[in-house]
Amino acid sequence: MIYIHVPFCKSFCTYCDFYSEIPQEGQFDRYTKQVCDEIRRRSAEIDDHTKTLYFGGGTPSVLPLGDLSRILLTLEECGHGGPYTEFTMEVNPEDIVERGLPYVQSLKALGVNRISLGIQSFNDNLLRWMNRRHDAEHAREAFRLVREAGIGNISIDLIFGLSNLLDEVWDQTISEALALGPEHISCYQLTVEGDSVLAHRLENGDYEEADEELCRKQYDHLCQRLREAGYEHYEISNFCKPGFQALHNSGYWERKPYVGLGPAAHSFSGRGRSWNDAVLEDYGHTEESLSVEDEKVETLMLALRTARGVDGEFLLANCLPENIDPLLREGALVKIGRRYRIPEDHFFVSDQIIRQLI
Ligand code: SF4
């Protein structure tokens, strides 16, 4: 599993505090050179068992195709070339519309077989409030172009948990998403991140956070609409048509090893975690091993995010019966075969449930 972080954005969204830079002259070239050097240096760490490649960001769709090709060629030279079982590229709608059908056709020709479109909302007022560069029409047009290019596995991202998201606007956004028929929908609850514009708005009294009741209402509505439309709710924030679970992200939840390349990218070796510095040039790499306790907590936290849940033997060996039993009695945890899971109607409070277990 390979993750490549593309730390460029043409503008910054109000809620985001990910590491990202507005691209300057010559930076794509220098970035690409560094990623290629890192591939060569860390080639032995790459485990091709789960053969997935994921370009995330930032905004990978701002990267010139020539630079993308150089990275793919370097992977090939090092013995980690395609075809990949799943090759995902995160893209923003406005880049797809600006660069047009030939761009998506080129992505497909380079081996991309899954596109993740950062739509977030189909409401223009909210999109402006988020400082997104696209509007709803761009989102629909981008989706159409990706489909026309022959990409049969499209994921779209949506955001809920905003205090200024009216019920009818949320319902309309879900309807618009369903009308497009994506194979996969990721839906994240807005959180106010440390140094984001939204955090400053909150401080200045220009934004009030949505309370838990409102977030829960929006989440429940989403779950109900997507269930009725035939989507499987296979992870707290992820839904798919049958057979379209994200392989790469599922690997994260199953704690499969992955190598993250590029500034600010994180990696997991199976024994320890490591990450690159969040700077564009000459980024360093820091490693951290995990204690037995860390591993136990991670396994529980990641597995219980999913509908597959956690292995029963693991749960019973690592959690006390006095913590497990009350959750089973109140239906916050259910046993299915040899596994235990948090049922969908308790997903929203999964953090509390996991804290109770550990
Ligand atoms: S949300 Fe995505 S597009 Fe927006 S600033 Fe963050 S990384 Fe860039």
Side-chain angles (χ1 to χ4, degrees):
M1 284 172 58
I2 306 169
Y3 173 81
I4 299 188
H5 192 70
V6 184
F8 298 106
C9 292
K10 288 187 186 158
S11 59
F12 298 111
C13 306
T14 49
Y15 51 84
C16 180
D17 82 338
F18 284 171
Y19 165 65
S20 194
E21 307 258 355
I22 293 185
Q24 310 291 329
E25 179 81 32
Q27 274 183 342
F28 287 135
D29 182 55
R30 290 199 293 279
Y31 159 81
T32 302
K33 187 178 173 308
Q34 292 200 78
V35 171
C36 292
D37 288 347
E38 193 185 0
I39 292 169
R40 292 185 191 101
R41 216 170 43 242
R42 299 181 60 197
S43 174
E45 288 176 49
I46 298 175
D47 175 352
D48 291 308
H49 201 69
T50 304
K51 210 167 163 53
T52 61
L53 175 61
Y54 193 108
F55 277 77
T59 317
S61 50
V62 301
L63 192 67
L65 282 167
D67 292 310
L68 180 61
S69 302
R70 276 164 68 196
I71 294 173
L72 296 175
L73 274 175
T74 309
L75 283 170
E76 200 171 317
E77 272 165 37
C78 294
H80 307 292
Y84 301 94
T85 316
E86 185 186 88
F87 178 176
T88 302
M89 180 102 174
E90 286 181 359
V91 302
N92 275 356
E94 64 280 2
D95 293 323
I96 298 296
V97 174
E98 260 168 54
R99 302 178 78 170
L101 186 61
Y103 170 66
V104 197
Q105 286 169 330
S106 302
L107 292 181
K108 187 163 185 267
L110 287 170
V112 172
N113 56 19
R114 183 172 183 271
I115 290 275
S116 171
L117 254 181
I119 289 180
Q120 318 308 349
S121 172
F122 285 94
N123 180 271
D124 289 344
N125 289 333
L126 278 180
L127 287 167
R128 269 192 299 275
W129 178 85
M130 294 177 195
N131 199 34
R132 299 293 301 195
R133 285 186 295 135
H134 67 277
D135 59 16
E137 191 45 45
H138 276 148
R140 286 186 286 267
E141 176 64 3
F143 190 96
R144 195 189 63 71
L145 288 168
V146 173
R147 206 45 118 205
E148 195 183 331
I151 301 284
N153 189 355
I154 308 178
S155 179
I156 65 172
D157 282 358
L158 299 176
I159 291 185
F160 75 100
L162 292 76
S163 55
N164 47 353
L165 176 58
L166 301 174
D167 289 353
E168 58 270 29
V169 170
W170 183 222
D171 187 57
Q172 178 66 21
T173 277
I174 299 170
S175 296
E176 293 237 27
L178 291 174
L180 294 175
E183 283 67 34
H184 190 278
I185 299 177
S186 297
C187 192
Y188 296 99
Q189 182 177 334
L190 183 90
T191 48
V192 180
E193 300 295 342
D195 199 28
S196 62
V197 171
L198 195 58
H200 297 294
R201 283 188 190 165
L202 190 69
E203 247 172 55
N204 298 338
D206 296 329
Y207 179 70
E208 200 178 312
E209 274 189 275
D211 61 31
E212 193 167 324
E213 198 186 326
L214 180 63
C215 294
R216 167 134 218 172
K217 190 172 150 203
Q218 292 172 358
Y219 184 71
D220 286 348
H221 188 60
L222 172 84
C223 296
Q224 188 199 333
R225 295 267 342 250
L226 297 196
R227 193 184 322 120
E228 286 166 3
Y231 284 79
E232 290 172 3
H233 192 175
Y234 72 101
E235 196 267 349
I236 292 174
S237 307
N238 288 282
F239 305 79
C240 67
K241 287 187 176 172
F244 286 94
Q245 296 194 2
L247 292 178
H248 186 89
N249 289 350
S250 295
Y252 294 155
W253 305 316
E254 289 164 24
R255 296 186 80 241
K256 289 186 177 164
Y258 59 91
V259 170
L261 304 158
H266 285 237
S267 305
F268 176 57
S269 68
R271 291 170 304 282
R273 299 206 170 263
S274 62
W275 55 93
N276 290 342
D277 294 338
V279 289
L280 205 51
E281 314 240 343
D282 301 323
Y283 49 86
H285 185 74
T286 309
E287 292 181 16
E288 183 184 82
S289 54
L290 295 173
S291 66
V292 175
E293 186 61 20
D294 290 339
E295 288 198 25
K296 173 182 120 178
V297 171
E298 262 196 26
T299 303
L300 271 176
M301 284 179 63
L302 293 170
L304 286 173
R305 290 186 63 89
T306 67
R308 196 167 167 262
V310 69
D311 176 67
E313 259 179 53
F314 179 90
L315 183 85
L316 299 175
N318 288 288
C319 301
L320 297 170
E322 55 262 44
N323 292 341
I324 300 172
D325 294 345
L327 292 171
L328 286 171
R329 276 199 297 275
E330 71 194 58
L333 199 63
V334 289
K335 186 169 188 285
I336 298 169
R338 294 160 59 93
R339 303 185 74 84
Y340 288 80
R341 68 161 290 190
I342 295 174
E344 188 189 32
D345 60 357
H346 284 72
F347 260 164
F348 187 75
V349 288
S350 57
D351 283 352
Q352 283 147 254
I353 296 169
I354 294 164
R355 267 201 301 277
Q356 251 174 279
L357 278 171
I358 51 183

